Amino acid sequence: MEHIIITIGRQLGSGGRVIAQKLAQEFDCLFYDREILNLAAKESGFSEKIFEQNDEHKGFLKSLFHMRVPLVSDVNFYKSDISQERLFQFQSDAIRKAAQKSNCVFVGRCADYILRDMPNVVNVFVTADIDWRAEQVVKRHQCTKEEALKIIHRAENRRASYYNYYTGKRWGDAASYDLCVDASILDIEETEKYIANFIRKRFHL
């Protein structure tokens, strides 16, 4: 059997990242969230800082020329053929190379679309009730519920714009995933077990 590849799309505050980490442990997978940015930086020769500030964010390059950008090696940013699409391509290449080497769990970053032609990929989207998600964000950021809701809406608008632009699909649309699950119904631990059981049946493990 080829490598098992799991991609996790997630709403902010849904616990999707934690669930992804638990799935990585359960299926002996390498875990990639922001770690993929480091791989993309190595792939391109550009500073990881560029990828961090462009992470799941369409339009960052419009403001890039108004700041000092650290670079890696002797790559000259201002003379290089770089665009937002090129950064996305570097990141896509890094995701594909990682997926070809071992079992992996990828969080976000259009991994479901990037790996659409690979075998043994299961795409999961984790959602949750908005009040439940706001509660998680309040705990994480020590803020009010009103502030938490603003954080959620701002982050999700950014993620949706990024995903929709590069994939031509709709972020969170059930048609793009093998499984969509509401973590606020079973809570994080039981949701992870539910997804893990689905993956075992999907791959006949």
Side-chain angles (χ1 to χ4, degrees):
M1 183 176 179
E2 298 291 333
H3 304 311
I4 293 176
I5 307 299
I6 304 168
T7 75
I8 303 291
R10 74 289 183 216
Q11 288 186 313
L12 189 71
S14 67
R17 188 179 190 278
V18 175
I19 289 170
Q21 288 176 316
K22 291 179 179 296
L23 289 170
Q25 293 174 353
E26 184 154 348
F27 290 98
D28 193 25
C29 296
L30 292 179
F31 174 80
Y32 292 102
D33 184 4
R34 296 183 65 84
E35 293 82 358
I36 205 66
L37 305 181
N38 177 262
L39 295 183
K42 291 179 180 179
E43 179 79 20
S44 66
F46 291 112
S47 167
E48 187 175 348
K49 184 71 172 178
I50 294 175
F51 289 92
E52 288 177 351
Q53 298 199 39
N54 187 56
D55 189 26
E56 293 190 308
H57 184 86
K58 177 178 171 289
F60 165 67
L61 286 179
K62 293 179 181 178
S63 62
L64 190 56
F65 292 97
H66 300 291
M67 61 180 286
R68 183 179 180 84
V69 182
L71 302 176
V72 176
S73 66
D74 59 354
V75 175
N76 188 323
F77 175 83
Y78 297 100
K79 294 182 180 179
S80 296
D81 176 22
I82 187 171
S83 65
Q84 192 127 20
E85 284 69 26
R86 190 158 167 77
L87 290 181
F88 179 77
Q89 188 61 54
F90 283 131
Q91 185 168 285
S92 299
D93 290 344
I95 289 173
R96 277 190 287 266
K97 286 185 178 181
Q100 289 167 358
K101 292 179 179 178
S102 63
N103 296 340
C104 296
V105 173
F106 295 99
V107 177
R109 296 171 185 81
C110 304
D112 61 295
Y113 177 77
I114 293 166
L115 302 175
R116 63 193 181 281
D117 295 325
M118 284 193 66
N120 299 321
V121 176
V122 60
N123 302 310
V124 179
F125 192 83
V126 181
T127 183
D129 176 79
I130 185 62
D131 290 327
W132 192 85
R133 290 192 287 135
E135 184 180 337
Q136 310 312 308
V137 174
V138 166
K139 293 176 182 177
R140 186 188 312 165
H141 293 278
Q142 296 296 300
C143 61
T144 65
K145 182 177 180 179
E146 182 180 0
E147 291 170 331
L149 290 172
K150 288 180 180 178
I151 291 172
I152 289 172
H153 293 312
R154 184 165 56 244
E156 295 195 341
N157 285 338
R158 186 180 72 241
R159 285 179 184 173
S161 177
Y162 181 87
Y163 182 90
N164 297 350
Y165 179 78
Y166 285 110
T167 69
K169 301 192 296 181
R170 287 185 59 195
W171 180 75
D173 189 330
S176 297
Y177 309 93
D178 300 305
L179 176 68
C180 295
V181 58
D182 185 334
S184 60
I185 295 176
L186 298 178
D187 213 337
I188 290 177
E189 294 286 343
E190 291 301 318
T191 298
E192 187 275 334
K193 292 178 182 178
Y194 180 85
I195 296 172
N197 188 48
F198 175 86
I199 292 171
R200 288 191 185 91
K201 291 184 177 180
R202 165 71 173 77
F203 295 128
H204 307 291
L205 299 177

